[in-house]
Amino acid sequence: MYPKIITTLWIVLLACPLFAQEKGETSANRLFHIERSKNRNLVCYDINLRADGLLNLKQPLEVYWVNREERPGEVKGLSGMERRFAYGYKVTQTGDNTCKVTLSAYPGRELTIYREGDNYLCTIEIDGQQAILQKLYVKAKESNSLMVEYVELTGISRTTGQQVTERVAK
C-alpha cells in the first residue's frame, strides 16, 4: 500500500512544474514581464511567431496577465484600456525578422526584438548599456495606486553578461 502512495506522490510532485507552465507561470516564448507593487500578478510579454517560425512583424508580442493571487495560474488578455494606455505596445520599425517597439506607458525607450541563434531576445538600454530585458517593476505611489513612483528595469548586460538594473523616477 505505501509504495503505491509514494509513487502517486512522486507523480504529483513531478507534474507540478508542468502544471505551472501550462497555466502561464513560465513560458519558453517569454521575453520579459512586468511586476507591480500593487499585487503579485504579472503582465507577460511573449514572442509571437508566424506558422513558419519567423517573427510576426505586425504583432511581435503576445501580451497577457498571469494571475498569481485570487485565481493562481489564470491567464487573461489585456482590456482595450490596458492595451492602449498601460501595457500595450507600438511597432516603430521592422526589418528582416527583427523589429523595434515602444511600450504604451513607457515610450521613452525603444525595445529591439530579434533572433539570435535559436532564441528571440528583447534588448533595451539599461543604465547606459545594451541589455537583454528580463523584467520591469512598477512601484505605485502609496497615496494613489494609479500614479507611478518609479519603474525599475532589470536585464543582462550584452557586454559583461552581468545583471544590470536602473530605476527611473516618473
PDB file of all heavy atoms in Angstrom, residues 111-139:
ATOM      1  N   LEU A 111      12.549  49.179 -27.515  1.00  0.00           N
ATOM      2  CA  LEU A 111      12.957  47.796 -27.324  1.00  0.00           C
ATOM      3  C   LEU A 111      13.213  47.194 -28.699  1.00  0.00           C
ATOM      4  O   LEU A 111      12.441  47.451 -29.629  1.00  0.00           O
ATOM      5  CB  LEU A 111      11.857  46.998 -26.626  1.00  0.00           C
ATOM      6  CG  LEU A 111      11.563  47.294 -25.167  1.00  0.00           C
ATOM      7  CD1 LEU A 111      10.758  48.562 -25.015  1.00  0.00           C
ATOM      8  CD2 LEU A 111      10.810  46.144 -24.574  1.00  0.00           C
ATOM      9  N   THR A 112      14.256  46.410 -28.821  1.00  0.00           N
ATOM     10  CA  THR A 112      14.567  45.740 -30.085  1.00  0.00           C
ATOM     11  C   THR A 112      14.361  44.242 -29.899  1.00  0.00           C
ATOM     12  O   THR A 112      14.911  43.648 -28.967  1.00  0.00           O
ATOM     13  CB  THR A 112      16.025  46.010 -30.514  1.00  0.00           C
ATOM     14  OG1 THR A 112      16.218  47.422 -30.610  1.00  0.00           O
ATOM     15  CG2 THR A 112      16.330  45.359 -31.853  1.00  0.00           C
ATOM     16  N   ILE A 113      13.563  43.660 -30.782  1.00  0.00           N
ATOM     17  CA  ILE A 113      13.284  42.224 -30.742  1.00  0.00           C
ATOM     18  C   ILE A 113      13.929  41.593 -31.962  1.00  0.00           C
ATOM     19  O   ILE A 113      13.704  42.047 -33.088  1.00  0.00           O
ATOM     20  CB  ILE A 113      11.764  41.964 -30.743  1.00  0.00           C
ATOM     21  CG1 ILE A 113      11.121  42.644 -29.529  1.00  0.00           C
ATOM     22  CG2 ILE A 113      11.471  40.468 -30.759  1.00  0.00           C
ATOM     23  CD1 ILE A 113       9.619  42.711 -29.591  1.00  0.00           C
ATOM     24  N   TYR A 114      14.735  40.574 -31.749  1.00  0.00           N
ATOM     25  CA  TYR A 114      15.433  39.923 -32.851  1.00  0.00           C
ATOM     26  C   TYR A 114      15.807  38.499 -32.474  1.00  0.00           C
ATOM     27  O   TYR A 114      15.764  38.118 -31.306  1.00  0.00           O
ATOM     28  CB  TYR A 114      16.679  40.715 -33.246  1.00  0.00           C
ATOM     29  CG  TYR A 114      17.710  40.813 -32.147  1.00  0.00           C
ATOM     30  CD1 TYR A 114      18.779  39.934 -32.097  1.00  0.00           C
ATOM     31  CD2 TYR A 114      17.597  41.783 -31.150  1.00  0.00           C
ATOM     32  CE1 TYR A 114      19.720  40.015 -31.091  1.00  0.00           C
ATOM     33  CE2 TYR A 114      18.535  41.871 -30.140  1.00  0.00           C
ATOM     34  CZ  TYR A 114      19.594  40.987 -30.120  1.00  0.00           C
ATOM     35  OH  TYR A 114      20.515  41.063 -29.117  1.00  0.00           O
ATOM     36  N   ARG A 115      16.200  37.758 -33.486  1.00  0.00           N
ATOM     37  CA  ARG A 115      16.597  36.369 -33.281  1.00  0.00           C
ATOM     38  C   ARG A 115      18.110  36.274 -33.184  1.00  0.00           C
ATOM     39  O   ARG A 115      18.834  36.878 -33.970  1.00  0.00           O
ATOM     40  CB  ARG A 115      16.105  35.506 -34.443  1.00  0.00           C
ATOM     41  CG  ARG A 115      16.333  34.034 -34.221  1.00  0.00           C
ATOM     42  CD  ARG A 115      15.727  33.232 -35.339  1.00  0.00           C
ATOM     43  NE  ARG A 115      15.796  31.827 -35.032  1.00  0.00           N
ATOM     44  CZ  ARG A 115      15.032  30.914 -35.567  1.00  0.00           C
ATOM     45  NH1 ARG A 115      14.118  31.260 -36.453  1.00  0.00           N
ATOM     46  NH2 ARG A 115      15.159  29.661 -35.241  1.00  0.00           N
ATOM     47  N   GLU A 116      18.551  35.491 -32.186  1.00  0.00           N
ATOM     48  CA  GLU A 116      19.971  35.217 -32.023  1.00  0.00           C
ATOM     49  C   GLU A 116      20.096  33.717 -31.815  1.00  0.00           C
ATOM     50  O   GLU A 116      19.663  33.197 -30.791  1.00  0.00           O
ATOM     51  CB  GLU A 116      20.532  36.000 -30.839  1.00  0.00           C
ATOM     52  CG  GLU A 116      22.036  35.865 -30.699  1.00  0.00           C
ATOM     53  CD  GLU A 116      22.581  36.797 -29.637  1.00  0.00           C
ATOM     54  OE1 GLU A 116      22.790  37.981 -29.945  1.00  0.00           O
ATOM     55  OE2 GLU A 116      22.775  36.322 -28.507  1.00  0.00           O
ATOM     56  N   GLY A 117      20.632  33.021 -32.796  1.00  0.00           N
ATOM     57  CA  GLY A 117      20.689  31.568 -32.734  1.00  0.00           C
ATOM     58  C   GLY A 117      19.290  30.996 -32.812  1.00  0.00           C
ATOM     59  O   GLY A 117      18.523  31.338 -33.703  1.00  0.00           O
ATOM     60  N   ASP A 118      18.924  30.171 -31.844  1.00  0.00           N
ATOM     61  CA  ASP A 118      17.593  29.560 -31.811  1.00  0.00           C
ATOM     62  C   ASP A 118      16.588  30.359 -30.987  1.00  0.00           C
ATOM     63  O   ASP A 118      15.424  29.975 -30.887  1.00  0.00           O
ATOM     64  CB  ASP A 118      17.677  28.138 -31.232  1.00  0.00           C
ATOM     65  CG  ASP A 118      18.419  27.193 -32.161  1.00  0.00           C
ATOM     66  OD1 ASP A 118      18.465  27.472 -33.371  1.00  0.00           O
ATOM     67  OD2 ASP A 118      18.954  26.183 -31.662  1.00  0.00           O
ATOM     68  N   ASN A 119      17.032  31.447 -30.374  1.00  0.00           N
ATOM     69  CA  ASN A 119      16.167  32.194 -29.456  1.00  0.00           C
ATOM     70  C   ASN A 119      15.904  33.607 -29.948  1.00  0.00           C
ATOM     71  O   ASN A 119      16.732  34.202 -30.636  1.00  0.00           O
ATOM     72  CB  ASN A 119      16.817  32.275 -28.069  1.00  0.00           C
ATOM     73  CG  ASN A 119      17.056  30.925 -27.473  1.00  0.00           C
ATOM     74  OD1 ASN A 119      16.174  30.084 -27.451  1.00  0.00           O
ATOM     75  ND2 ASN A 119      18.267  30.699 -26.994  1.00  0.00           N
ATOM     76  N   TYR A 120      14.771  34.139 -29.516  1.00  0.00           N
ATOM     77  CA  TYR A 120      14.478  35.547 -29.728  1.00  0.00           C
ATOM     78  C   TYR A 120      14.805  36.291 -28.448  1.00  0.00           C
ATOM     79  O   TYR A 120      14.589  35.792 -27.342  1.00  0.00           O
ATOM     80  CB  TYR A 120      13.009  35.749 -30.102  1.00  0.00           C
ATOM     81  CG  TYR A 120      12.759  35.447 -31.551  1.00  0.00           C
ATOM     82  CD1 TYR A 120      12.466  34.161 -31.967  1.00  0.00           C
ATOM     83  CD2 TYR A 120      12.850  36.447 -32.505  1.00  0.00           C
ATOM     84  CE1 TYR A 120      12.251  33.874 -33.301  1.00  0.00           C
ATOM     85  CE2 TYR A 120      12.635  36.174 -33.847  1.00  0.00           C
ATOM     86  CZ  TYR A 120      12.336  34.879 -34.235  1.00  0.00           C
ATOM     87  OH  TYR A 120      12.132  34.606 -35.563  1.00  0.00           O
ATOM     88  N   LEU A 121      15.348  37.496 -28.594  1.00  0.00           N
ATOM     89  CA  LEU A 121      15.734  38.331 -27.469  1.00  0.00           C
ATOM     90  C   LEU A 121      15.061  39.686 -27.594  1.00  0.00           C
ATOM     91  O   LEU A 121      14.703  40.125 -28.689  1.00  0.00           O
ATOM     92  CB  LEU A 121      17.249  38.541 -27.446  1.00  0.00           C
ATOM     93  CG  LEU A 121      18.134  37.305 -27.394  1.00  0.00           C
ATOM     94  CD1 LEU A 121      19.588  37.706 -27.502  1.00  0.00           C
ATOM     95  CD2 LEU A 121      17.893  36.529 -26.119  1.00  0.00           C
ATOM     96  N   CYS A 122      14.937  40.354 -26.463  1.00  0.00           N
ATOM     97  CA  CYS A 122      14.444  41.723 -26.432  1.00  0.00           C
ATOM     98  C   CYS A 122      15.501  42.546 -25.704  1.00  0.00           C
ATOM     99  O   CYS A 122      15.796  42.280 -24.534  1.00  0.00           O
ATOM    100  CB  CYS A 122      13.111  41.786 -25.695  1.00  0.00           C
ATOM    101  SG  CYS A 122      12.459  43.456 -25.586  1.00  0.00           S
ATOM    102  N   THR A 123      16.086  43.522 -26.388  1.00  0.00           N
ATOM    103  CA  THR A 123      17.121  44.340 -25.770  1.00  0.00           C
ATOM    104  C   THR A 123      16.639  45.775 -25.602  1.00  0.00           C
ATOM    105  O   THR A 123      15.776  46.253 -26.342  1.00  0.00           O
ATOM    106  CB  THR A 123      18.436  44.323 -26.581  1.00  0.00           C
ATOM    107  OG1 THR A 123      18.186  44.798 -27.902  1.00  0.00           O
ATOM    108  CG2 THR A 123      19.031  42.928 -26.644  1.00  0.00           C
ATOM    109  N   ILE A 124      17.224  46.437 -24.617  1.00  0.00           N
ATOM    110  CA  ILE A 124      16.902  47.815 -24.284  1.00  0.00           C
ATOM    111  C   ILE A 124      18.127  48.413 -23.597  1.00  0.00           C
ATOM    112  O   ILE A 124      18.953  47.673 -23.064  1.00  0.00           O
ATOM    113  CB  ILE A 124      15.658  47.884 -23.364  1.00  0.00           C
ATOM    114  CG1 ILE A 124      15.191  49.329 -23.167  1.00  0.00           C
ATOM    115  CG2 ILE A 124      15.932  47.189 -22.047  1.00  0.00           C
ATOM    116  CD1 ILE A 124      13.851  49.437 -22.435  1.00  0.00           C
ATOM    117  N   GLU A 125      18.235  49.718 -23.587  1.00  0.00           N
ATOM    118  CA  GLU A 125      19.322  50.358 -22.851  1.00  0.00           C
ATOM    119  C   GLU A 125      18.947  50.426 -21.375  1.00  0.00           C
ATOM    120  O   GLU A 125      17.893  50.948 -21.014  1.00  0.00           O
ATOM    121  CB  GLU A 125      19.584  51.761 -23.390  1.00  0.00           C
ATOM    122  CG  GLU A 125      20.797  52.394 -22.750  1.00  0.00           C
ATOM    123  CD  GLU A 125      21.138  53.747 -23.338  1.00  0.00           C
ATOM    124  OE1 GLU A 125      21.252  53.834 -24.569  1.00  0.00           O
ATOM    125  OE2 GLU A 125      21.280  54.699 -22.551  1.00  0.00           O
ATOM    126  N   ILE A 126      19.814  49.853 -20.544  1.00  0.00           N
ATOM    127  CA  ILE A 126      19.636  49.894 -19.093  1.00  0.00           C
ATOM    128  C   ILE A 126      20.925  50.421 -18.486  1.00  0.00           C
ATOM    129  O   ILE A 126      21.996  49.859 -18.722  1.00  0.00           O
ATOM    130  CB  ILE A 126      19.306  48.497 -18.505  1.00  0.00           C
ATOM    131  CG1 ILE A 126      18.015  47.942 -19.105  1.00  0.00           C
ATOM    132  CG2 ILE A 126      19.209  48.574 -16.976  1.00  0.00           C
ATOM    133  CD1 ILE A 126      17.665  46.534 -18.652  1.00  0.00           C
ATOM    134  N   ASP A 127      20.822  51.491 -17.748  1.00  0.00           N
ATOM    135  CA  ASP A 127      21.980  52.095 -17.085  1.00  0.00           C
ATOM    136  C   ASP A 127      23.117  52.369 -18.065  1.00  0.00           C
ATOM    137  O   ASP A 127      24.278  52.092 -17.785  1.00  0.00           O
ATOM    138  CB  ASP A 127      22.440  51.206 -15.924  1.00  0.00           C
ATOM    139  CG  ASP A 127      23.328  51.956 -14.938  1.00  0.00           C
ATOM    140  OD1 ASP A 127      23.202  53.196 -14.837  1.00  0.00           O
ATOM    141  OD2 ASP A 127      24.157  51.296 -14.276  1.00  0.00           O
ATOM    142  N   GLY A 128      22.761  52.856 -19.245  1.00  0.00           N
ATOM    143  CA  GLY A 128      23.758  53.264 -20.233  1.00  0.00           C
ATOM    144  C   GLY A 128      24.350  52.147 -21.073  1.00  0.00           C
ATOM    145  O   GLY A 128      25.271  52.387 -21.845  1.00  0.00           O
ATOM    146  N   GLN A 129      23.844  50.932 -20.954  1.00  0.00           N
ATOM    147  CA  GLN A 129      24.380  49.834 -21.764  1.00  0.00           C
ATOM    148  C   GLN A 129      23.265  48.961 -22.327  1.00  0.00           C
ATOM    149  O   GLN A 129      22.194  48.870 -21.747  1.00  0.00           O
ATOM    150  CB  GLN A 129      25.369  49.006 -20.956  1.00  0.00           C
ATOM    151  CG  GLN A 129      24.846  48.492 -19.635  1.00  0.00           C
ATOM    152  CD  GLN A 129      25.957  47.901 -18.794  1.00  0.00           C
ATOM    153  OE1 GLN A 129      26.710  47.063 -19.251  1.00  0.00           O
ATOM    154  NE2 GLN A 129      26.055  48.326 -17.548  1.00  0.00           N
ATOM    155  N   GLN A 130      23.542  48.360 -23.469  1.00  0.00           N
ATOM    156  CA  GLN A 130      22.564  47.459 -24.067  1.00  0.00           C
ATOM    157  C   GLN A 130      22.433  46.212 -23.204  1.00  0.00           C
ATOM    158  O   GLN A 130      23.431  45.643 -22.775  1.00  0.00           O
ATOM    159  CB  GLN A 130      22.974  47.058 -25.494  1.00  0.00           C
ATOM    160  CG  GLN A 130      22.661  48.119 -26.520  1.00  0.00           C
ATOM    161  CD  GLN A 130      21.161  48.371 -26.606  1.00  0.00           C
ATOM    162  OE1 GLN A 130      20.354  47.460 -26.762  1.00  0.00           O
ATOM    163  NE2 GLN A 130      20.775  49.629 -26.495  1.00  0.00           N
ATOM    164  N   ALA A 131      21.185  45.808 -22.960  1.00  0.00           N
ATOM    165  CA  ALA A 131      20.938  44.657 -22.095  1.00  0.00           C
ATOM    166  C   ALA A 131      19.756  43.867 -22.617  1.00  0.00           C
ATOM    167  O   ALA A 131      18.867  44.409 -23.278  1.00  0.00           O
ATOM    168  CB  ALA A 131      20.673  45.123 -20.666  1.00  0.00           C
ATOM    169  N   ILE A 132      19.752  42.572 -22.304  1.00  0.00           N
ATOM    170  CA  ILE A 132      18.602  41.715 -22.594  1.00  0.00           C
ATOM    171  C   ILE A 132      17.596  41.965 -21.484  1.00  0.00           C
ATOM    172  O   ILE A 132      17.885  41.707 -20.307  1.00  0.00           O
ATOM    173  CB  ILE A 132      19.018  40.230 -22.637  1.00  0.00           C
ATOM    174  CG1 ILE A 132      20.065  40.005 -23.725  1.00  0.00           C
ATOM    175  CG2 ILE A 132      17.790  39.344 -22.853  1.00  0.00           C
ATOM    176  CD1 ILE A 132      20.747  38.658 -23.651  1.00  0.00           C
ATOM    177  N   LEU A 133      16.440  42.486 -21.834  1.00  0.00           N
ATOM    178  CA  LEU A 133      15.425  42.832 -20.846  1.00  0.00           C
ATOM    179  C   LEU A 133      14.846  41.572 -20.220  1.00  0.00           C
ATOM    180  O   LEU A 133      14.469  40.635 -20.926  1.00  0.00           O
ATOM    181  CB  LEU A 133      14.314  43.653 -21.503  1.00  0.00           C
ATOM    182  CG  LEU A 133      13.193  44.133 -20.593  1.00  0.00           C
ATOM    183  CD1 LEU A 133      13.735  45.043 -19.483  1.00  0.00           C
ATOM    184  CD2 LEU A 133      12.142  44.866 -21.415  1.00  0.00           C
ATOM    185  N   GLN A 134      14.765  41.552 -18.902  1.00  0.00           N
ATOM    186  CA  GLN A 134      14.160  40.449 -18.166  1.00  0.00           C
ATOM    187  C   GLN A 134      12.842  40.865 -17.542  1.00  0.00           C
ATOM    188  O   GLN A 134      11.859  40.147 -17.630  1.00  0.00           O
ATOM    189  CB  GLN A 134      15.098  39.936 -17.071  1.00  0.00           C
ATOM    190  CG  GLN A 134      16.358  39.316 -17.603  1.00  0.00           C
ATOM    191  CD  GLN A 134      17.261  38.886 -16.473  1.00  0.00           C
ATOM    192  OE1 GLN A 134      17.599  39.688 -15.599  1.00  0.00           O
ATOM    193  NE2 GLN A 134      17.641  37.619 -16.476  1.00  0.00           N
ATOM    194  N   LYS A 135      12.852  42.024 -16.885  1.00  0.00           N
ATOM    195  CA  LYS A 135      11.620  42.465 -16.234  1.00  0.00           C
ATOM    196  C   LYS A 135      11.635  43.966 -15.986  1.00  0.00           C
ATOM    197  O   LYS A 135      12.684  44.604 -15.978  1.00  0.00           O
ATOM    198  CB  LYS A 135      11.392  41.734 -14.917  1.00  0.00           C
ATOM    199  CG  LYS A 135      12.333  42.136 -13.804  1.00  0.00           C
ATOM    200  CD  LYS A 135      11.996  41.409 -12.517  1.00  0.00           C
ATOM    201  CE  LYS A 135      12.970  41.829 -11.420  1.00  0.00           C
ATOM    202  NZ  LYS A 135      12.650  41.206 -10.153  1.00  0.00           N
ATOM    203  N   LEU A 136      10.432  44.481 -15.801  1.00  0.00           N
ATOM    204  CA  LEU A 136      10.217  45.841 -15.334  1.00  0.00           C
ATOM    205  C   LEU A 136       9.421  45.716 -14.037  1.00  0.00           C
ATOM    206  O   LEU A 136       8.540  44.861 -13.936  1.00  0.00           O
ATOM    207  CB  LEU A 136       9.406  46.665 -16.329  1.00  0.00           C
ATOM    208  CG  LEU A 136      10.109  47.047 -17.622  1.00  0.00           C
ATOM    209  CD1 LEU A 136       9.844  46.016 -18.681  1.00  0.00           C
ATOM    210  CD2 LEU A 136       9.631  48.401 -18.079  1.00  0.00           C
ATOM    211  N   TYR A 137       9.748  46.559 -13.082  1.00  0.00           N
ATOM    212  CA  TYR A 137       8.995  46.604 -11.831  1.00  0.00           C
ATOM    213  C   TYR A 137       8.403  47.997 -11.722  1.00  0.00           C
ATOM    214  O   TYR A 137       9.132  48.991 -11.835  1.00  0.00           O
ATOM    215  CB  TYR A 137       9.897  46.315 -10.635  1.00  0.00           C
ATOM    216  CG  TYR A 137       9.199  46.482  -9.313  1.00  0.00           C
ATOM    217  CD1 TYR A 137       8.315  45.516  -8.843  1.00  0.00           C
ATOM    218  CD2 TYR A 137       9.400  47.623  -8.539  1.00  0.00           C
ATOM    219  CE1 TYR A 137       7.660  45.666  -7.634  1.00  0.00           C
ATOM    220  CE2 TYR A 137       8.758  47.782  -7.327  1.00  0.00           C
ATOM    221  CZ  TYR A 137       7.881  46.808  -6.884  1.00  0.00           C
ATOM    222  OH  TYR A 137       7.227  46.959  -5.691  1.00  0.00           O
ATOM    223  N   VAL A 138       7.106  48.080 -11.531  1.00  0.00           N
ATOM    224  CA  VAL A 138       6.424  49.362 -11.445  1.00  0.00           C
ATOM    225  C   VAL A 138       6.006  49.585 -10.000  1.00  0.00           C
ATOM    226  O   VAL A 138       5.209  48.821  -9.451  1.00  0.00           O
ATOM    227  CB  VAL A 138       5.188  49.400 -12.373  1.00  0.00           C
ATOM    228  CG1 VAL A 138       4.468  50.722 -12.239  1.00  0.00           C
ATOM    229  CG2 VAL A 138       5.599  49.140 -13.817  1.00  0.00           C
ATOM    230  N   LYS A 139       6.551  50.623  -9.382  1.00  0.00           N
ATOM    231  CA  LYS A 139       6.223  50.969  -7.998  1.00  0.00           C
ATOM    232  C   LYS A 139       5.180  52.080  -8.030  1.00  0.00           C
ATOM    233  O   LYS A 139       5.434  53.175  -8.513  1.00  0.00           O
ATOM    234  CB  LYS A 139       7.483  51.440  -7.264  1.00  0.00           C
ATOM    235  CG  LYS A 139       7.235  52.031  -5.878  1.00  0.00           C
ATOM    236  CD  LYS A 139       6.760  50.991  -4.898  1.00  0.00           C
ATOM    237  CE  LYS A 139       6.786  51.519  -3.480  1.00  0.00           C
ATOM    238  NZ  LYS A 139       5.498  51.787  -2.910  1.00  0.00           N
TER     239      LYS A 139
END
